[in-house]
Amino acid sequence: MTRHPERAVRVNRIAAALGVLGTTVSLGTLAVLIITLIHLVLTRTRDWHELLGWWHPAMTTFALLPMAFYAWRFNRIKAAWHFRGYHLGREELYLRTGLLTRRLTVLAYARIQEVNVVTGPIQRRYELATVTIKTAAGSDAIADIDPQTAQHLRNRLTELARERRLPV
């Protein structure tokens, strides 16, 4: 199996951090609304100084939950990186992913309909790309590989798909 570059771990950690940041903002907003509503219903007063006493413990709790999740996810990303890879076989493409639930996907070249190379802004910064492979059954991806390797892989997969295409 061909391994992904080491810098792919950093990109996945950045993506996880952005996801956790979005979750934190959403939970924080939800917490402010819920705590304010509970305060207004229970006290039937609009004294905002008293409300600030309620917000502090609730906001701390809602801020610590996503941070704990990110700490767990941060370590898991490095471990999961060792189990990702791909291999071009004679008749099939093998894709391996997963840490806890390991997955081996086998794609026959004859079934490949479309191959694309995609790069996001964070991937461009770290010189990485993703190859997406579409078949009638769905799509799979080889994420976070070198752009030159991605272009070569796209050309090779397209060539192999043309050679092995079933006559209609």
Side-chain angles (χ1 to χ4, degrees):
M1 290 278 173
T2 303
R3 283 245 172 118
H4 299 286
E6 182 78 29
R7 62 187 181 275
V9 174
R10 182 175 293 151
V11 170
N12 285 319
R13 285 181 172 168
I14 290 169
L18 291 174
V20 169
L21 178 66
T23 303
T24 304
V25 169
S26 299
L27 284 176
T29 304
L30 185 64
V32 166
L33 294 173
I34 290 173
I35 296 301
T36 303
L37 183 65
I38 290 172
H39 173 69
L40 292 175
V41 168
L42 292 179
T43 62
R44 296 182 193 266
T45 181
R46 296 188 192 265
D47 183 15
W48 295 105
H49 295 291
E50 186 180 318
L51 179 61
L52 291 176
W54 282 52
W55 274 349
H56 181 67
M59 294 311 124
T60 303
T61 304
F62 277 101
L64 290 178
L65 289 176
M67 288 177 9
F69 173 73
Y70 180 69
W72 172 76
R73 180 97 171 106
F74 187 82
N75 292 326
R76 189 172 162 253
I77 288 169
K78 176 76 174 177
W81 175 79
H82 291 288
F83 298 103
R84 293 172 60 189
Y86 65 94
H87 175 71
L88 294 173
R90 286 181 42 94
E91 298 294 322
E92 302 96 6
L93 170 67
Y94 300 93
L95 304 173
R96 183 180 67 181
T97 58
L99 174 64
L100 299 176
T101 306
R102 299 207 181 135
R103 182 173 142 200
L104 177 67
T105 304
V106 181
L107 298 172
Y109 297 132
R111 302 287 181 196
I112 294 175
Q113 295 176 345
E114 186 178 337
V115 182
N116 294 316
V117 176
V118 180
T119 58
I122 296 173
Q123 285 181 323
R124 280 193 297 274
R125 165 71 174 86
Y126 290 99
E127 297 178 8
L128 295 170
T130 298
V131 178
T132 57
I133 303 145
K134 295 183 182 175
T135 63
S139 67
D140 285 292
I142 303 171
D144 301 330
I145 58 176
D146 292 314
Q148 297 82 13
T149 305
Q151 295 294 338
H152 173 73
L153 193 58
R154 182 195 64 195
N155 295 339
R156 183 71 181 135
L157 286 172
T158 304
E159 178 185 317
L160 289 168
R162 263 193 218 114
E163 288 175 6
R164 289 169 177 79
R165 185 131 345 214
L166 300 173
V168 179

